[in-house]
Amino acid sequence: PFEDGYANGEEGTPTGDATATYTAESKGIVKFGWIKGVLVRCMLNIWGVMLFIRLSWIVGQAGIGLAVLVIAMATVVTTITGLSTSAIATNGFVRGGGAYYLISRSLGPEFGGAIGLIFAFANAVAVAMYVVGFAETVVELLKEHNLIMLDQMNDIRIIGAITIVVLLGISVAGMEWEAKAQIVLLVILLVAIVDFIIGTFIPFESKKSKGFFGYQGEIFYENFGPDFREEETFFSVFAIFFPAATGILAGANISGDLADPQLAIPKGTLLAILITTVVYMGIAVSVGACVVRDATGSINDTFVGELTNCTTAACKLNFDFSSCEKGGCPYGLMNNFQVMSMVSGFAPLISAGIFSATLSSALASLVSAPKIFQALCKDNIYPGFLMFAKGYGKNNEPLRGYLLTFLIALGFILIAELNVIAPIISNFFLASYALINFSVFHASLAKSPGWRPAFKYYNMWVSLVGAILCCIVMFVINWWAALLTYVIVLGLYIYVTYKKPDVNWGSSTQALTYLNALQHAVRLTGVEDHVKNFRPQCLVMSGAPSSRPALLHLVHAFTKNVGLMICGHIHMGPRRQAMKELSTDLPRYQRWLIKNKMKAFYAPVHAEDLRDGAQYLMQAAGLGRMKPNTLVLGFKKDWQSADMNDVDTYINLLHDAFDFQYGVVVIRLREGLDISHLQGQEEFLSSQEKSPVTKDIIVNVDYSKKTETVTSKPVSEKAPIHKDPKGPALNMADQKLLDASSQFQKKQGKNNIDVWWLFDDGGLTLLIPYLLTTKKKWKDCRIRVFIGGKINRIDHDRRAMATLLSKFRIDFSDIMVLGDINTKPKKENIAAFEEMIEPFRLHEDDKEQDVADKMKEDEPWRITDNEIELYKTKSQRQIRLNELLKEHSSTANLIVMSLPVARKSAVSSALYMAWIEALSKDLPPILLVRGNHQSVLTFYS
């Protein structure tokens, strides 16, 4: 899809490749220099019909002074835009596509796509406008000689249609022919201008009655001030003149056909603006100094001697045109559009000039539109238009685009109403000028290191003023067309933003997003934390994000748009291999998160073991105030069969978290969390159906074992995959695991979230359920609060709790005070607990003292008899809580409960795991939460 055979930015040695592709391109391909390519084109495009037909009328209405002001104002807008265009065009290699290329590469595909479409369309319709202008002049000539075919309107259509077919032929013949035609047209135009200027110095007697007297101070003086008639105002005259100043992008629009766009665009465009402005002003002044505003055209209005009541300039030159005051005179600046041919030395040359001006502008637009459209289609921003991207021949001519432009122009020629077409076109052009100016401002504002134009004479604030001026001029010219243009640009912008084309051009929008994020992050670090602004910022020990979707979706439910979420992934094993994986995983899993609409970051680290990795992450993850404050991990459900050193590591993770002032959340699902082994299998099943595909091989951190088991498995980027009907069925447990892994992606319905708030850890246990209920999928769930209490004070406790929760402004549907929380658990449950811990006991009373000590030293996780006695009540409490949970919360969608904590090195790992196991087994999804005893809820506003 790219002209030079490389995907964006993936070049080897930039200079070598650039020159290589450059020389390859230039063989047998026509490339233009700055005069032929830019200067000639811009001058032809800027000098339109206005020069010969409307300029004299503008001088008549506005007077010489204001006419020069009108030209100067238009020039200010075009010059600023010319400077901005030069700045963008010299910032890097410019390919084909002109204004579209410049805007899309600096502001990104959203604005670029909107403007590209509008600009190509505006150029296509401009072809129609210029051709209709040409046809009108031809029909005027036919009328003078009584050669009208049908009637005036249809003649314009017929001549217009013939003309555009001829123009299409010239442009399809190739750029070289088109450039030759342009030069011929420019020569004719220049001859016509010279012809007019010579004419002003030779006033014939016959022309005096038509109002032309040669250079006269009296006429200059009289015509200097304005004389607006027929409800014209300064701005309406400006609106009529402004389209004559557009056309400055004619050179930039064929940027792909220039030998050195970086040099040609600034030089040619700015010189063209200068030359054309000087000519416009010169002609305005000379016409104003030679021709009076009204003249009858009859020679009988001369007089000899003095007239008392006549003060006009014509009277001083012995003509009396006072009859014109009632209106209806055919001659003079105000009444005759063909003043310039009347003044000129040889009138037919002026007609030739008009033909040349209109046809050259039409030709330039006819070439610009397809080129811009081709560049737009190549970038595939609007997938429907891809067919127009194809180029033909060695010059890569967009023949399909020519045909489309031809059809659009033909349609508008058949409308044949110039006054309807003109304002919309002017507004489309102005919208692109405004955006070119804005992109320079935006790129300078974003301070992107990549923005360093070779053209230095620009200024970000001048460009901003230029952009604002363009928008104001749009409204001055025609307010409804301006509104229409805004609506269309906005519509296209929204469409492209929604479609998110897969392009990356390093636009200034990206640069500014980065700059804003950076500035806000720095500003945030100066603010002290306040309890009202507490947010759970979670470091989720997820491993590869796609392997534990349920964990991620649940945490995302309460951090989305509220707090930070970082997915930690610890790579262990040989360093070189791990480094390689780190670099491939980072973009891949970040993409997976975005694709699954997760507002989260992926943070992989390499460490010797799990505990080190977790410590690195807890200390270094995050930025400034955006640091995690809560560690989230899955429950290690295979702890009974795993290596007990891994269990030690797991429990030390929790202790480390408290040491680093983190809150801790342990999430347990009955079915488990890790589905990485299924993803490999599923991918295998589905690839049996499809053709073999190349798969990503990744190293999975298998969570259930808690150390890294290095297993190379193909992993699809899609998380939860459902059973492939044709493949071998998954076993029951795996199927349940798969279903469970996607349960938090569904709407949760009118169920309960049960909060068991057994001791105060700062309120995190209450905040998480509250945050969940603010989200769309969970908003129908009700919060039920369970607290421990004494049998004889149940009502009192309930009221106190209700008051507290209402002060915290947390909605709840019910408060249950459990008076029987301290009763003894059932015998069979105690027996089951004892059976569970049996393999992990030390039984030191039955052994020799030194044997027991040695064993305890080698296996510190073993449970001593002393410990069992010491913590008997605590063990029984976990068993009892599990009974109560089964009794009250077995139907809840989610249980949030305080996590029991053991003092470091006082309770052995096996006993602590047994407590959590006993507490949370056979229950709905359960979050065991322990804040870091920092208050996260407050009464006060």
Side-chain angles (χ1 to χ4, degrees), residues 74-88:
T75 307
V76 165
V77 174
T78 53
T79 307
I80 294 177
T81 309
L83 292 171
S84 299
T85 309
S86 308
I88 300 183

Side-chain angles (χ1 to χ4, degrees), residues 8 28 69 94-95 115 183 265 367 390 453 481 515 519 521 527 558-559 568 679 742 751 753 810 833 849 878 911:
N8 265 355
L69 183 66
V94 181
R95 291 223 186 89
I115 278 303
I183 295 219
I265 292 174
V367 172
K390 189 167 164 48
L515 195 67
Q519 285 169 345
V527 183
F558 64 83
T559 57
Q679 281 176 319
S742 62
N751 286 320
I753 297 178
I810 285 179
F833 179 78
Q849 183 68 36
Q878 310 311 326
L911 183 60

Side-chain angles (χ1 to χ4, degrees), residues 9-237:
E10 289 172 10
E11 290 149 9
T13 52
T15 44
D17 284 346
T19 44
T21 54
Y22 203 65
T23 45
E25 272 182 9
S26 48
K27 278 184 198 138
I29 293 178
V30 185
K31 295 275 184 189
F32 305 117
W34 69 275
I35 296 182
K36 214 175 178 184
V38 184
L39 183 71
V40 171
R41 249 164 228 288
C42 288
M43 279 163 60
L44 282 171
N45 221 352
I46 296 171
W47 283 328
V49 209
M50 295 293 172
L51 183 59
F52 299 108
I53 304 184
R54 290 284 188 278
L55 195 57
S56 54
W57 175 84
I58 287 171
V59 174
Q61 290 279 3
I64 296 171
L66 289 180
V68 170
L69 183 66
V70 162
I71 297 169
M73 280 171 60
T75 307
V76 165
V77 174
T78 53
T79 307
I80 294 177
T81 309
L83 292 171
S84 299
T85 309
S86 308
I88 300 183
T90 57
N91 187 45
F93 187 69
V94 181
R95 291 223 186 89
Y100 158 72
Y101 187 88
L102 298 180
I103 294 174
S104 64
R105 291 314 184 269
S106 51
L107 282 181
E110 297 84 8
F111 274 125
I115 278 303
L117 209 54
I118 282 182
F119 199 68
F121 181 72
N123 270 306
V125 181
V127 176
M129 186 170 83
Y130 296 127
V131 169
V132 169
F134 168 74
E136 273 182 8
T137 319
V138 177
V139 172
E140 288 289 324
L141 288 176
L142 291 177
K143 214 157 90 179
E144 279 176 33
H145 301 94
N146 292 326
L147 291 172
I148 291 247
M149 295 180 272
L150 302 165
D151 59 74
Q152 204 168 338
M153 204 66 174
N154 286 321
D155 276 15
I156 292 178
R157 289 178 179 140
I158 293 168
I159 293 167
I162 296 169
T163 313
I164 192 169
V165 170
V166 174
L167 291 178
L168 182 70
I170 293 177
S171 50
V172 168
M175 293 293 287
E176 183 60 4
W177 279 95
E178 189 258 353
K180 282 176 184 150
Q182 294 278 22
I183 295 219
V184 173
L185 292 172
L186 182 69
V187 171
I188 297 172
L189 233 174
L190 290 172
V191 169
I193 292 173
V194 172
D195 173 43
F196 163 77
I197 290 178
I198 294 169
T200 58
F201 290 104
I202 35 178
F204 291 110
E205 282 303 316
S206 61
K207 293 184 182 174
K208 286 189 173 175
S209 62
K210 294 180 178 176
F212 170 50
F213 295 96
Y215 290 100
Q216 301 287 346
E218 294 92 339
I219 300 181
F220 181 86
Y221 180 72
E222 184 182 77
N223 284 348
F224 193 79
D227 177 18
F228 292 114
R229 306 182 190 171
E230 294 157 17
E231 296 182 358
E232 293 293 346
T233 62
F234 175 75
F235 285 117
S236 68
V237 171

Side-chain angles (χ1 to χ4, degrees), residues 403-419:
L403 201 64
L404 185 67
T405 309
F406 168 74
L407 293 173
I408 293 174
L410 192 61
F412 278 92
I413 288 170
L414 299 180
I415 298 174
E417 273 294 335
L418 256 185
N419 296 354

Side-chain angles (χ1 to χ4, degrees), residues 76 79-81 83-84 437 440-441 457-469:
V76 165
T79 307
I80 294 177
T81 309
L83 292 171
S84 299
N437 283 319
V440 169
F441 168 73
Y457 308 99
Y458 70 95
N459 177 292
M460 63 188 280
W461 300 108
V462 173
S463 296
L464 180 63
V465 170
I468 295 168
L469 279 177

Side-chain angles (χ1 to χ4, degrees), residues 791-842:
I791 298 241
N792 49 2
R793 300 183 43 181
I794 284 185
D795 275 351
H796 174 270
D797 287 349
R798 180 184 284 132
R799 274 199 302 279
M801 193 63 194
T803 320
L804 185 64
L805 288 177
S806 62
K807 276 190 186 163
F808 282 146
R809 305 169 304 287
I810 285 179
D811 278 335
F812 56 91
S813 64
D814 197 5
I815 291 178
M816 307 273 282
V817 181
L818 305 164
D820 50 357
I821 198 161
N822 291 327
T823 49
K824 233 178 142 173
K826 296 190 183 118
K827 283 213 175 62
E828 60 268 29
N829 290 341
I830 295 178
F833 179 78
E834 282 171 353
E835 191 182 321
M836 178 170 69
I837 62 171
E838 183 58 41
F840 305 106
R841 287 182 62 173
L842 183 62

